Amino acid sequence: KVFRAPQMPRKSKRYPPEVLDFAVYLGIDVDKEEDLIWIAEQCLSEELPEPWTEHTSSRGDIYFYNSETDESTVEHPLFHKYRMLYEEKRQEKLISSGKFDQNQEESFQYDDSLKPVTISHEEVLDMAQYYDVHPQHECDLLQIVREAVLVPLPWMFREVTDRHGNPYFYNEVTDVSQRIHPLDEIFRERLDRRRQVVSPQDHVSAQWQVFFSSAGTPYFYNFITNQLQEEKPSSVAEQMVEDQILQDHRSCVLQLLGPKPETTGSKESGFDETFTSDLFQDEKLLELIDEKEIAEMAGLLEMEVADPKFQKFVREIAEDRKSFEDVKQKFTTFQIDSHRVDSKAPESFKRRPHPPPPAPKRLVFFSWWFEEAVKKYIELRYDMEAKNFQIILNKSVALRDVKIAGRDGEQLQCWDLFVGQKIDVLGKPTTLMQASHSTLMWLEYHSRRLLKKALEIENEIMQFKPIPDIIHRMLQTRNLANGNLSLRWIMRHISMLTTQLYRIKPSDAH
């Protein structure tokens, strides 16, 4: 539950239970980070932003209502603001204590980033087949293949699907579309170079690789014998798991075609050092802005060409154009022959494998409350196969094969669970406050999948009659990564929209 802090002074650094509760909600370790609990206290004492208001349900639970979007949520509207503040202050502490390397990559600043990246040997095998790599005979190439599975699409590209269901890639910088993945040429070249220098010993030493399940559990797979085991093989180095986790995280943030350029034209950009003081004597600048255009701009602005403010203005425009031309020229080598992608994929087109949808064996949720100033914990694990719960109280007592019913008396299923859901656990009203990483990934994937279907039906109905664009507004305002959207509600909403569409156009309702 989320409570508002009372307006009272702190005494001897002892915080009321509701502040400690909210501090844990923000991710603060109240035992080891007592000096940061003030962040939670400040958040609870700050006025809610418009148009959010606080309310209490009939069961005594606090929730927040947005009058503009008609949205109700248990998540505090200022959560993300103060979560970022906490991360900043935490980082400052680490830097001042000497425990944090300021030169390390941005994606590895926080402990959470060092959690294992979910990847299976099947994904590597599929990608190896795509790149014509033979796993049993080219084990030494599989780390490159693994990187190809994890590396993100370059920032200037986005993946689009044509009307036949085949993917293509659109370059927003060059305005060019292509069928081939933008990184295929890079990875094929790296694989060819590696083949030229590889030795038989490299092949044998790389036969074992470590992979991670959605729960973060490591397992080992031998690509020569196809053997899978949970125990670390004796021939594997002790640091293999840690090194692989770090390498996977680096792969997940790599921009192989270069980072996205920063905003240009700032005072600190160093542009004045690039061009000479006389605009008409600067050959570099005149390649971007000719003399006639400079004179026209001076006339429109009613300024003298020699005016330092005007010269700075012209140079900022030139720098913007130069930055765009540099980026555009850099990526023209990845264009295809035609300006637009073919309307239909050729028969020889080979589709790059996509990662499988998240499929955790269990959904894990966390909650807590205070009894007589003592914090109590509860962890709920929903087994996806057995369809029942395991309840862990205070991190020690475990109850297995528990079935929990919802308000309608029906047994709760995976589609009924989300962050913020209120359920009855052993006779006690409980709000699911947080979820594990794999659970959040599963919730986000199915939220996007179901919302996409609902949006398609909603848009179809709007061609015939106006209806509230609920799904569109949800996609614009809700952060699906938080896992606080009810999948069951979306499924029921799809059913309702389908019924409406059937009444309007029976042939399209399916």
Side-chain angles (χ1 to χ4, degrees):
K1 300 177 183 178
V2 180
F3 299 93
R4 297 300 296 270
Q7 301 297 321
M8 61 177 65
R10 249 169 39 199
K11 296 181 179 180
S12 303
K13 293 186 178 181
R14 294 187 61 86
Y15 295 91
E18 52 267 29
V19 174
L20 297 176
D21 195 359
F22 196 78
V24 174
Y25 180 62
L26 288 173
I28 301 173
D29 189 327
V30 294
D31 296 324
K32 300 180 181 179
E33 299 177 314
E34 185 178 355
D35 56 324
L36 297 181
I37 300 178
W38 64 268
I39 297 175
E41 185 177 45
Q42 180 175 321
C43 178
L44 291 174
S45 61
E46 182 174 336
E47 291 295 327
L48 293 176
E50 295 289 342
W52 288 97
T53 53
E54 181 181 326
H55 303 271
T56 304
S57 69
S58 58
R59 299 175 60 177
D61 296 321
I62 291 177
Y63 66 95
F64 303 91
Y65 175 71
N66 188 316
S67 57
E68 289 186 359
T69 63
D70 194 30
E71 172 190 1
S72 297
T73 178
V74 296
E75 181 180 286
H76 198 288
L78 298 172
F79 171 80
H80 295 286
K81 171 184 175 181
Y82 281 91
R83 171 68 184 182
M84 292 179 62
L85 176 62
Y86 160 64
E87 294 289 4
E88 292 173 2
K89 296 300 180 182
R90 179 171 176 268
Q91 180 179 339
E92 291 175 3
K93 282 181 56 181
L94 292 174
I95 294 175
S96 61
S97 63
K99 297 180 180 179
F100 179 75
D101 182 6
Q102 290 179 289
N103 296 321
Q104 63 183 325
E105 294 180 55
E106 181 181 356
S107 59
F108 307 122
Q109 290 182 352
Y110 309 122
D111 293 340
D112 287 344
S113 65
L114 297 181
K115 294 179 180 178
V117 177
T118 301
I119 182 172
S120 67
H121 65 281
E122 291 96 341
E123 293 177 77
V124 173
L125 288 172
D126 289 342
M127 191 65 75
Q129 182 180 5
Y130 175 76
Y131 282 120
D132 301 317
V133 174
H134 303 282
Q136 291 184 328
H137 307 291
E138 297 179 305
C139 295
D140 51 289
L141 302 181
L142 294 178
Q143 277 296 330
I144 299 178
V145 175
R146 183 185 186 122
E147 183 177 315
V149 174
L150 297 174
V151 72
L153 196 65
W155 62 267
M156 73 293 301
F157 282 93
R158 57 186 174 92
E159 185 174 344
V160 188
T161 304
D162 62 20
R163 60 189 181 91
H164 300 287
N166 296 311
Y168 66 92
F169 304 91
Y170 173 68
N171 189 322
E172 296 179 341
V173 174
T174 61
D175 192 30
V176 169
S177 299
Q178 61 187 66
R179 288 285 180 191
I180 300 174
H181 192 282
L183 301 179
D184 277 359
E185 184 177 336
I186 293 177
F187 281 110
R188 292 190 187 279
E189 182 180 350
R190 287 178 58 184
L191 290 168
D192 290 339
R193 289 202 308 266
R194 178 63 181 169
R195 283 189 176 102
Q196 296 173 6
V197 298
V198 70
S199 67
Q201 183 59 34
D202 294 331
H203 168 65
V204 174
S205 61
Q207 60 182 309
W208 282 103
Q209 288 196 22
V210 61
F211 296 91
F212 304 96
S213 68
S214 57
T217 306
Y219 69 91
F220 299 86
Y221 184 80
N222 190 309
F223 284 94
I224 295 180
T225 64
N226 295 327
Q227 180 183 356
L228 187 151
Q229 62 184 56
E230 295 183 359
E231 299 80 15
K232 183 177 72 66
S234 58
S235 60
V236 170
E238 291 292 335
Q239 293 296 318
M240 180 181 186
V241 175
E242 291 78 5
D243 292 345
Q244 190 65 68
I245 291 175
L246 186 61
Q247 186 170 340
D248 287 349
H249 275 279
R250 286 172 176 162
S251 299
C252 288
V253 298
L254 276 179
Q255 283 292 333
L256 294 180
L257 300 187
K260 187 174 184 179
E262 299 179 358
T263 303
T264 58
S266 61
K267 182 177 179 180
E268 295 79 9
S269 62
F271 187 89
D272 292 337
E273 298 176 3
T274 307
F275 298 96
T276 62
S277 57
D278 190 342
L279 297 181
F280 295 113
Q281 298 297 321
D282 194 328
E283 295 181 359
K284 293 182 180 179
L285 184 141
L286 293 177
E287 291 177 358
L288 301 166
I289 306 178
D290 58 28
E291 298 181 9
K292 182 179 179 181
E293 188 176 0
I294 293 175
E296 289 178 351
M297 286 192 291
L300 289 173
L301 296 174
E302 298 181 352
M303 300 177 69
E304 296 293 333
V305 175
D307 191 325
K309 293 183 178 180
F310 177 75
Q311 292 192 6
K312 179 182 178 182
F313 170 74
V314 173
R315 289 182 176 126
E316 287 177 351
I317 294 178
E319 183 180 8
D320 287 340
R321 292 185 182 180
K322 182 177 183 298
S323 176
F324 177 79
E325 291 298 326
D326 289 346
V327 174
K328 185 173 181 178
Q329 182 179 4
K330 183 176 181 180
F331 302 113
T332 50
T333 57
F334 298 94
Q335 299 178 10
I336 56 174
D337 294 336
S338 60
H339 183 69
R340 291 292 178 186
V341 69
D342 297 335
S343 60
K344 187 175 181 180
E347 294 182 0
S348 59
F349 174 65
K350 193 175 182 181
R351 179 178 297 191
R352 202 172 194 261
H354 281 262
K361 293 182 179 180
R362 62 180 64 91
L363 304 181
V364 183
F365 294 88
F366 307 95
S367 188
W368 55 86
W369 67 94
F370 284 88
E371 288 184 4
E372 299 179 355
V374 178
K375 191 168 187 178
K376 304 290 184 179
Y377 293 90
I378 186 170
E379 179 179 334
L380 281 86
R381 300 178 178 178
Y382 179 81
D383 192 308
M384 301 290 276
E385 183 176 353
K387 294 181 173 52
N388 54 32
F389 288 87
Q390 178 185 8
I391 302 175
I392 300 177
L393 299 173
N394 294 324
K395 303 181 180 180
S396 60
V397 181
L399 304 175
R400 302 180 184 276
D401 301 330
V402 179
K403 294 187 179 294
I404 300 178
R407 296 181 181 180
D408 56 1
E410 297 291 333
Q411 300 295 331
L412 291 179
Q413 299 180 352
C414 58
W415 312 106
D416 301 304
L417 303 173
F418 59 94
V419 176
Q421 168 73 304
K422 300 176 180 62
I423 60 178
D424 192 293
V425 180
L426 305 178
K428 180 177 180 60
T430 303
T431 300
L432 305 181
M433 305 290 287
Q434 291 179 343
S436 65
H437 176 69
S438 59
T439 301
L440 291 175
M441 290 180 60
W442 184 86
L443 289 169
E444 180 181 6
Y445 171 80
H446 287 287
S447 294
R448 294 190 185 280
R449 178 180 64 84
L450 293 172
L451 286 173
K452 180 180 178 182
K453 177 64 177 176
L455 184 62
E456 291 174 357
I457 304 175
E458 191 176 83
N459 291 336
E460 182 72 15
I461 295 175
M462 285 185 178
Q463 296 180 12
F464 301 94
K465 70 173 186 177
I467 60 172
D469 55 342
I470 298 176
I471 301 299
H472 177 75
R473 286 189 293 167
M474 290 180 69
L475 288 170
Q476 295 293 324
T477 60
R478 298 292 287 270
N479 184 356
L480 302 182
N482 291 338
N484 58 0
L485 196 58
S486 171
L487 301 180
R488 181 70 70 184
W489 180 89
I490 305 176
M491 295 164 70
R492 290 172 178 167
H493 192 71
I494 290 175
S495 178
M496 183 269 293
L497 291 174
T498 304
T499 302
Q500 290 189 42
L501 182 60
Y502 176 79
R503 293 172 180 170
I504 299 172
K505 196 174 181 182
S507 60
D508 283 5
H510 54 275

